[in-house]
Amino acid sequence: MSDEPQPQQPTEGRPTGTPEAAGTPEAAGTPETAGTSEAAKPSEAAKAPKAAGTPKVSGTPKSASAGTPEATADPSGPSGPSGPSGPSGPSGAARTPGSAPAPDTARTPDTARTAEMPRIPEGPRTPEPAHAPKAAHTPRATYTSPAAAAAAASAAEAPGAPQAAGPAAGPPAGPAAGPGTKRPKRPKRTGWRRIFPTWRMVLGTLLLGAALLIGLFFVGYSMVKIPPANALATKQSNVYLYADGTEIARDGMVNRENVDLSQISKAAQHAVLAAEDRDFYTESAIDLKAMIRAGWNTATGKGKQSGSTITQQYVKNYYLAQEQTVTRKVKEFFISIKLDRETSKDNILEGYLNTSYFGRNAYGMQAAAKAYYGVDAAELTPAQGAYLAALVNAPSEYDVIAHPENRKAAEARWNYVLDGMVGKGWLSQADRTGLKFPAPKETSGADTGMSGQRGYLVTAIKDYLRTTKIATSEELEAGGYRITTTLDKKKQDAFVDAVNDKLMAKLDPKDRKADTYVRAGGAAVEPKTGNVLALYGGIDYVKQYTNNATRRDFQVGSTFKPFVFTSAVENESETQDGRRITPNTIYDGTDQRPVQGWSGGSYAPENEDNVDYGDISVRSATDKSVNAVYAQMAVDVGPEKVEQTAVDLGLPTDTPDLEPYPSIALGTATASVLDMAEAYATLANHGRHGTYTMIGKVTKNGADVFDLPERKTSQVISREAADTTTSVLRSVVQNGTATAALAAGRPAAGKTGTAEEDTAAWFAGYTPDLATVVAVMGQDPVTAAHKSLYNVMGLPRINGGGAPTEIWAQFTKNALKDTPPTDFSLQIQEGSEETAYPSAEPSSSEPTEEDDQDDTTGGQNSQSPGTNQGQTDGGTPTGTTGGTTTGGTPTTGGAVTGGTTGDTSTGGIPTTGGTSDAGTTAGTSDGGTTGDTSDGGAIGTPGGTFPQLTTRRPLDE
């Protein structure tokens, strides 16, 4: 190898030259050998082989890579900034092989001190690497300890110091000490810092995102065009079909009459602005704050809300479809901005008022004013305008005629609108204070193809689709659907015929004002499938807008009582004195008898016509609909349990006035006819319940578009509880208040009912194949107020056993005429006995209850309701047949005995002696066969008190 210096390549982080010469002990020698003749020979030092295993001596961290031989030999660390060799770098000075090049212009702080030292003779210049950058700045000085500096100075002055080592002892070489070196890399982010982006990344992302959004906005604004006007006029019809494919109706006929803004009263205009967009005239087309707020409220479970301005709503109504898609929202956004720039606010408001949907198939303020109040839009008062404005928010729900149960919500919205008008200065507080809620007219005012039953059926179907969340109102308004229902056309026609024959044909509205109050509603459900087969909503949808089949504002009356008994059997309830409740349990049926065991205050309900029944069995109390018995039974069972049983059977949990009080037994709840039909269908189906359905399928363009909910049935109550109730309700048809139902000509069970003040009369009945509920209601056609049914059809009153039961019988007979009669298959409660009925109907010549029931000493004088209650004697009353048992221990002597056919009962505790025999005063039997319980009166002696016959033993003992 030649001694001639070789070109050196720069290395990163340390001086150029051979690794051995760059601060290694092997190249620079150890402290002991420093200054020897061998060490003074630069060429030999450069060629000295690396000693194996000799460790590198480390000094201070930065000088280890750039120290001179003398410095690196010192255990204390590298020498000072410069060595004794003078200036370093490729400036033309002689280089010793292995020496490190240094910048030719930069000098370290110690250069002046080393300038006077002898220079090494120049040798052949080594070409400077082409890529080596010139040092434009002074190399970064490294820290040198005082000890290291002193050692370096002594080494430089020592005699015989090798001058050839000078280049290696030049200025310190840090990262930028030599030509061609690179700046150090930024330390890598470690630990948790790696998780978060740097501020440069965040700022860059924000700037890039903002630029992207701005670009997208301009692209979207330029691409989206305002579509042609009158797009809503091309709206498709929804077609509604019976189960067999026969058309019911189609709702494509749009009731709309466009008017100028000047033809709409200022009060109505301000009402809509107060309801929908109070800052319409001052804000832009898009309210970003409202949109963000609505999105946040929807996401956080505060209900689906809209952040749209009137401009956005108008664009949706007039130019776009109603589907909830991202594409539609994007188009709505850009069209709204363009429209706001190109059209005046008045024109936008006019278009909005002419296209908004107000319910009753009315589009626009003019059509709505006609449909609800029979006036032009220019004549609308502030109160009327506020109600119509409230409808825009929820047309189907806030129509207080179609949904009387929602009146409170509608009035709250109405008040909100009026308060907004006052707040904006559009209505004075004085005028606001004097306003009363303006009830809309009862008729819809327009046919639009919905006359007769069609309108009732369509509204019921729409409500069902919406409440079950199969389809939204917006989707239905978009149109184009073929909706096949479960309704049976033959049964639907049979229902209409039955109501006309048994009720409407007998009315004379011209001569009897009471006949103008009459309304009728009905629903029929198939127990096994839950399919709604027929609905009767009213005489004519155009004449009477309210759907009487689905309204929830009339009390159900005594048709609720079977739910109380069902709950008693289901919960194995007992009377106050510990007797299990069965069809044969004896209760005290005294009129206005205070209920025992209720801590909520005194409650003593009246019986119908104030009849006293005395001792009476549950079966007979059901036949005669005795309020005193069932109010007590509700307390015995527990009103909360009764309420839960009603819900399990099918009543909605939000049924108005379904409250856990003793009065629940009397039917104070206001369930709909359809709700009651669903609950009775559960009884007919042996306690298995599945929610009713009205929809078979929904298609659009030939394909199914909605997934219908799968009907799931469950045993909500035991079969014994349902079937035992059925056995009791069969007695009501055979011997009780519903004997008119026998005209159906097949086995049937049911219960009559009358609302408070006779405002409604009900019959709820079923066969094994069909459960049907019928109600006749009284309502003023002008004010919509509930009215009593006195003098209707020229009769003193209408009760459940009259027109409702007669309608039920005719409908059931015709609806099932092609179905073979089937009998009930019952599994009744253990310990109770099924009643056997006579094969022929009772004749009027048979003894009545009044003939058979005698007064007893100290007993309760019972007044028979007579034949008006439908009560007949199905057999011969018996005395001691079936055995006699002693009833209790008299306090002052005497014994009380009593007995009935197939049953034994006890008398009571007389407070003063005496003997009374109840055998001959047992009353009228319910079935006339062994196993039935008589309706005997209370037994005792003068001065005796018998609250609920507390000494009687359970009848199954």
Side-chain angles (χ1 to χ4, degrees), residues 417-692:
V417 175
L418 291 176
D419 291 341
M421 295 174 68
V422 173
K424 297 296 292 186
W426 296 326
L427 181 67
S428 69
Q429 185 61 55
D431 292 338
R432 161 74 176 88
T433 304
L435 295 180
K436 295 182 179 180
F437 184 77
K441 59 187 297 187
E442 211 274 339
T443 58
S444 63
D447 185 345
T448 65
M450 293 292 165
S451 61
Q453 295 298 307
R454 292 191 293 272
Y456 301 124
L457 298 181
V458 168
T459 55
I461 294 165
K462 285 183 175 180
D463 287 344
Y464 176 82
L465 290 170
R466 180 176 52 83
T467 55
T468 56
K469 299 182 179 179
I470 296 175
T472 65
S473 298
E474 290 79 9
E475 288 171 329
L476 293 175
E477 288 175 16
Y481 298 102
R482 289 181 64 84
I483 302 169
T484 303
T485 69
T486 60
L487 298 171
D488 186 301
K489 189 177 187 309
K490 292 182 178 180
K491 292 179 175 58
Q492 180 68 35
D493 293 341
F495 221 138
V496 174
D497 291 341
V499 174
N500 288 338
D501 293 344
K502 298 299 182 180
L503 180 63
M504 298 302 171
K506 300 178 180 180
L507 299 179
D508 189 356
K510 294 181 179 180
D511 292 341
R512 292 186 296 266
K513 184 177 181 180
D515 287 358
T516 64
Y517 302 152
V518 174
R519 305 287 184 272
V525 177
E526 189 173 39
K528 293 181 176 62
T529 64
N531 291 340
V532 178
L533 302 181
L535 286 176
Y536 184 89
I539 185 63
D540 191 327
Y541 181 76
V542 176
K543 298 177 181 179
Q544 296 177 4
Y545 183 73
T546 309
N547 192 335
N548 298 314
T550 58
R551 67 188 303 170
R552 290 174 176 162
D553 60 328
F554 280 94
Q555 293 179 344
V556 300
S558 293
T559 56
F560 193 93
K561 287 175 180 172
F563 304 157
V564 181
F565 179 71
T566 301
S567 187
V569 179
E570 176 69 14
N571 293 286
E572 299 181 352
S573 301
E574 297 179 344
T575 62
Q576 294 293 305
D577 59 349
R579 292 174 293 119
R580 189 158 67 102
I581 299 176
T582 72
N584 296 326
T585 302
I586 302 298
Y587 271 90
D588 184 354
T590 302
D591 180 49
Q592 300 185 51
R593 174 188 174 279
V595 171
Q596 305 297 311
W598 174 247
S599 60
S602 177
Y603 183 61
E606 296 180 358
N607 291 333
E608 189 173 6
D609 297 328
N610 297 109
V611 177
D612 282 329
Y613 292 95
D615 264 6
I616 189 171
S617 69
V618 170
R619 188 184 300 275
S620 292
T622 308
D623 288 349
K624 301 178 177 68
S625 201
V626 181
N627 291 339
V629 171
Y630 270 91
Q632 182 64 57
M633 190 188 301
V635 174
D636 295 343
V637 177
E640 295 83 2
K641 294 180 180 179
V642 172
E643 178 184 3
Q644 185 58 52
T645 298
V647 171
D648 291 340
L649 290 172
L651 294 194
T653 55
D654 60 348
T655 299
D657 297 322
L658 182 62
E659 302 289 347
Y661 301 108
S663 58
I664 192 175
L666 278 58
T668 55
T670 58
S672 72
V673 171
L674 184 55
D675 294 336
M676 294 298 288
E678 180 181 351
Y680 271 76
T682 305
L683 294 175
N685 198 31
H686 309 292
R688 292 191 64 82
H689 173 259
T691 54
Y692 71 86

Side-chain angles (χ1 to χ4, degrees), residues 9 20 90 186 210 272 284 286 574 787 839:
Q9 298 295 329
E20 293 80 359
R186 187 179 301 277
V272 173
S284 62
I286 304 296
E574 297 179 344
K787 292 291 185 179
S839 57

